[in-house]
Amino acid sequence: IMAFDASPSWSGFNYQGKVSLYHALKIINLKPVGYDLSNFSLMLENTEDFEIIVDRKAITFHQVKAYNSTSYSKYANALLELTLELYKNKDVVGFIHTWKKIIFKADFKDLKSSIKDDINTLLEQYNAVPKTGDSIIEKATAKIDKIPKNAAILRSAFPEKTSDEIRDILNSIYNETNDVLERLKIYSYDDGNSFCELDEINTKIKKEIDI
């Protein structure tokens, strides 16, 4: 019996690699025969799990999560991270790929409204009076090491920003004064599903290779 089993992590990395291969093959197959793809690149583990680059500029970011869960909360941190990267990269479209179909937050019908509710929670917590230093936004800018995951995501995205500046950024996303949430999507596969089972990705790759 192993005290620490890395197989779940390996399974996730394996799935991530297969999804990136599938997406790259889809791009190739959607182009006409003879199309020059020499200016296209597939980048792994840079800004996100993978990204597509054209003429040395990213056009899509991709987060891949092989969680055996349908709960939105399981993906919330990854979606926050992707949202902030899209804020910093104005012309990039972001996709999340999942093994299971995401079930959105109760009382919310789609991805956008679920993410907006998360952001609103951060804003309400920060705007509460008096400030105690306990809000996620304050912890993101505080000189402390041990902070919650979502605070660490904010810190990593905006290491030089003040807490008020981070609040303003989140406000702009929440109020949709920019198009960040319009550029964030759940990836749709060729069968119309918004998810792809671990075993099914192998079949999809073979189909694209045959094409």
Side-chain angles (χ1 to χ4, degrees):
I1 299 174
M2 298 196 311
F4 299 99
D5 183 358
S7 56
S9 294
W10 170 246
S11 179
F13 283 122
N14 193 28
Y15 181 68
Q16 175 182 317
K18 289 178 179 180
V19 168
S20 65
L21 175 59
Y22 167 79
H23 182 65
L25 290 168
K26 285 291 293 184
I27 291 174
I28 293 169
N29 286 333
L30 287 171
K31 299 297 184 183
V33 175
Y35 188 90
D36 182 8
L37 288 158
S38 60
N39 60 332
F40 281 68
S41 300
L42 170 64
M43 175 73 78
L44 304 178
E45 296 291 352
N46 186 34
T47 303
E48 292 295 343
D49 292 329
F50 73 93
E51 57 197 88
I52 300 298
I53 297 173
V54 179
D55 293 327
R56 300 185 179 183
K57 183 178 180 181
I59 61 169
T60 58
F61 290 155
H62 300 257
Q63 273 268 7
V64 184
K65 296 301 174 190
Y67 298 142
N68 187 15
S69 173
T70 62
S71 173
Y72 170 85
S73 62
K74 185 71 174 177
Y75 305 93
N77 284 332
L79 288 165
L80 175 62
E81 180 183 332
L82 185 53
T83 298
L84 299 181
E85 287 301 329
L86 293 177
Y87 175 85
K88 296 189 296 180
N89 295 271
K90 306 299 183 185
D91 299 319
V92 181
V93 177
F95 294 94
I96 185 162
H97 303 249
T98 60
W99 168 23
K100 299 293 185 181
K101 183 177 181 178
I102 299 176
I103 304 300
F104 304 120
K105 299 178 76 171
D107 302 323
F108 295 97
K109 63 180 181 178
D110 56 22
L111 185 68
K112 179 196 284 190
S113 56
S114 295
I115 294 172
K116 286 184 69 171
D117 186 60
D118 284 348
I119 292 174
N120 189 49
T121 298
L122 294 176
L123 291 170
E124 287 183 341
Q125 185 187 53
Y126 180 71
N127 291 329
V129 179
K131 283 188 168 53
T132 63
D134 291 329
S135 73
I136 294 299
I137 294 175
E138 288 172 286
K139 288 180 178 179
T141 58
K143 297 184 181 302
I144 53 177
D145 294 328
K146 292 184 178 180
I147 56 177
K149 178 64 176 178
N150 48 0
I153 290 170
L154 292 173
R155 178 184 289 181
S156 177
F158 306 114
E160 304 300 324
K161 299 291 187 184
T162 65
S163 53
D164 279 351
E165 287 172 330
I166 292 176
R167 175 206 57 199
D168 292 343
I169 289 169
L170 293 177
N171 259 324
S172 73
I173 296 171
Y174 178 78
N175 292 322
E176 298 185 57
T177 57
N178 51 55
D179 67 346
V180 171
L181 295 178
E182 294 299 324
R183 290 185 282 119
L184 177 54
K185 307 174 186 298
I186 298 177
Y187 192 86
S188 180
Y189 289 86
D190 54 353
D191 55 11
N193 287 330
S194 58
F195 60 95
C196 182
E197 296 281 352
L198 292 180
D199 293 336
E200 185 64 23
I201 192 66
N202 296 327
T203 302
K204 292 184 183 300
I205 288 172
K206 289 175 183 177
K207 178 181 176 181
E208 295 301 320
I209 290 173
D210 286 342
I211 293 173

